[in-house]
Amino acid sequence: MTERDAVTPDPDLLARLAALAVRVGANLQPGQVLAVNGQVGGHEPLVRAIAAEAYRAGAKYVDVNWFDPLIKRARLELSAEDDLDFVPPWLGARVEALGAARAANISLVGQVRPGAYADIDPARIGRDQLPALRQTAEVINRRELNWTVVPAPNAGWAQHVRPGLDAGEALRLLEQDIRTVCRLDEDDPVEAWRARAVELQASAARLNAHGFDAIRLQGPGTDLTVGLLPSSRFIAAGMDTIGGIAHQANVPTEEVFTTPDPARVDGVVRATKPLTLGGTTVDGIEVEFAGGEVVRVDATTGADVLRGWIERDAGARRLGELALVDGDGRVGRTGTVFHETLLDENAASHLALGSAYLMCLADEADHERANRSAIHVDFMVGSPDVSAIGVAADGSETPVLVQGAWQG
């Protein structure tokens, strides 16, 4: 057993995270099945705490789906090239069955084996995109699941965030950050999230009142115009299932987001934070769009992995999400790069290549125009130096987010 394996998360923090995930994030209802997705080698303590909390809340059954990054490494090393993009149909069938059962779902993030694929051919990594599944986006867009994603503190992830520290010290600091960004340091975290939700929803309402035709991002290395569909609406801090169950899809969340027009994205955008994609760090990203499609991808590290992902299908080269994040969010204020999209995307405005969220479209007539893909890859493009400007149909411009502050 290594030192890292011997270091375990704080049980009190796990209990509070589990309660937040079950009661606020997924908002599990009595009699529902709860699906939990976690990684072996670090997520087990939180998965067990979530299962216990779910049964206290009246879960009918807790179904745990485990992913082992070291088994994936074996496949990447040894599998035949043509087998790497094989996705067993029963994996997608499970997701479809959970949607049909109107289940709840909690997914955990926080790499347990950072760098596990560091010496693997990037082209092979790009072909095996598991555990990501196309059916997940489809079930979410049909609003069949009340779902959430939460961070799972573990020593492997902690040492990736703070590589100069021993496992115990790194984990304690990561736990401190998670308490802060998840508002678990508040006497009443549920009420704290309700208050923040009101702020985020007010920001979304102000954006929607303008009825912008596009959003322009401008900053160092970035000048990108993202067109919006006629009924695109910004939403924040909460969704509802088709059955009316409210849930918070990300814990933490600090974003307001919408669905862009995948045919109207033009210009260049430079990422402001590294992206962890399938266990590989992609840093120094620069992407150029023309007519909505990616025409160039560069990066200082991991470029071939990102290029592999966007070759998945036609929609993978177009945008499915535009999200704006202000400077009042707790994630950005930590100053920590977490190397996990759940947290890093809530520190900075971001874009997502791939599948769009249909719940951001007020008119079903626009659903057919929204982007479709088997992937949804967020990358962070915001900073205090990057401004967001609303563009009206007549071309007039209105600043909406400048130096991290909402305008107007």
Side-chain angles (χ1 to χ4, degrees):
M1 178 182 291
T2 66
E3 176 200 11
R4 188 193 67 187
D5 294 330
V7 175
T8 57
D10 174 30
D12 177 68
L13 173 61
L14 295 181
R16 290 169 67 82
L17 266 175
L20 191 65
V22 171
R23 309 279 181 169
V24 177
N27 190 19
L28 178 74
Q29 302 296 297
Q32 271 194 304
V33 170
L34 173 65
V36 184
N37 303 306
Q39 298 178 36
V40 298
H43 289 183
E44 294 92 340
L46 182 54
V47 169
R48 293 167 187 143
I50 286 171
E53 185 67 21
Y55 283 122
R56 288 189 199 99
K60 184 174 187 176
Y61 182 72
V62 177
D63 180 59
V64 180
N65 181 44
W66 293 108
F67 174 72
D68 187 337
L70 295 185
I71 291 178
K72 175 166 178 169
R73 179 185 170 86
R75 184 188 194 200
L76 291 171
E77 282 186 299
L78 304 171
S79 178
E81 183 80 19
D82 290 343
D83 291 340
L84 285 171
D85 50 11
F86 169 70
V87 178
W90 53 87
L91 299 183
R94 173 182 177 271
V95 176
E96 293 283 358
L98 289 168
R102 301 296 190 266
N105 189 90
I106 297 174
S107 294
L108 306 186
V109 299
Q111 300 176 72
V112 299
R113 300 284 181 184
Y117 317 129
D119 57 343
I120 301 291
D121 179 358
R124 292 177 69 83
I125 296 174
R127 293 191 65 171
D128 179 8
Q129 297 177 5
L130 292 171
L133 293 167
R134 169 182 55 81
Q135 290 83 358
T136 301
E138 295 172 355
V139 168
I140 286 172
N141 273 326
R142 295 198 298 265
R143 297 167 49 220
E144 293 175 347
L145 298 176
N146 37 308
W147 62 280
T148 194
V149 185
V150 297
N154 66 85
W157 178 23
Q159 285 194 296
H160 187 47
V161 174
R162 294 182 173 87
L165 302 181
D166 66 54
E169 185 178 0
L171 182 57
R172 298 290 88 82
L173 289 173
L174 177 61
E175 289 176 334
Q176 181 177 316
D177 277 340
I178 289 176
R179 285 188 186 91
T180 299
V181 301
C182 290
R183 289 174 164 76
L184 295 173
D185 55 355
E186 299 278 354
D187 292 336
D188 187 345
V190 174
E191 184 55 40
W193 276 115
R194 285 175 179 157
R196 180 56 173 159
V198 169
E199 295 173 354
L200 293 169
Q201 289 162 359
S203 297
R206 288 194 298 272
L207 287 167
N208 292 333
H210 285 284
F212 291 126
D213 179 65
I215 299 291
R216 186 178 183 186
L217 301 176
Q218 285 187 309
T222 291
D223 192 348
L224 184 76
T225 299
V226 180
L228 303 179
L229 291 165
S231 70
S232 292
R233 296 293 181 267
F234 285 89
I235 64 175
M239 302 177 180
D240 294 303
T241 67
I242 196 168
I245 301 173
H247 58 287
Q248 186 164 301
N250 287 350
V251 178
T253 183
E254 304 286 0
E255 64 179 319
V256 298
F257 63 98
T258 192
T259 293
D261 183 342
R264 294 195 302 129
V265 183
D266 294 276
V268 178
V269 64
R270 181 178 295 172
T272 52
K273 291 179 181 290
L275 164 67
T276 298
L277 188 57
T280 298
T281 298
V282 187
D283 202 359
I285 300 169
E286 187 171 282
V287 184
E288 183 176 355
F289 292 84
E293 189 172 19
V294 174
V295 294
R296 178 175 61 87
V297 174
D298 290 318
T300 55
T301 64
D304 287 341
V305 173
L306 180 55
R307 290 172 186 143
W309 275 68
I310 68 171
E311 292 301 322
R312 182 72 176 186
D313 50 47
R317 303 181 69 88
R318 296 181 182 271
L319 286 188
E321 180 188 359
L322 162 67
L324 300 178
V325 178
D326 66 31
D328 289 335
R330 289 195 176 194
V331 182
R333 287 183 173 183
T334 66
T336 302
V337 176
F338 290 97
H339 299 282
E340 279 294 349
T341 300
L342 168 67
L343 295 175
D344 290 332
E345 74 169 5
N346 282 292
S349 297
H350 52 276
L351 303 168
L353 293 161
S355 180
Y357 292 122
L358 299 183
M359 72 278 293
C360 294
L361 299 173
D363 187 347
E364 288 191 8
D366 281 338
H367 285 195
E368 288 303 312
R369 297 175 62 185
N371 200 36
R372 301 293 202 282
S373 176
I375 74 164
H376 183 92
V377 174
D378 297 275
F379 63 105
M380 287 57 72
V381 300
S383 79
D385 297 325
V386 179
S387 297
I389 301 160
V391 183
D394 63 5
S396 60
E397 297 187 345
T398 303
V400 295
L401 189 63
V402 178
Q403 293 184 333
W406 295 113
Q407 306 297 297

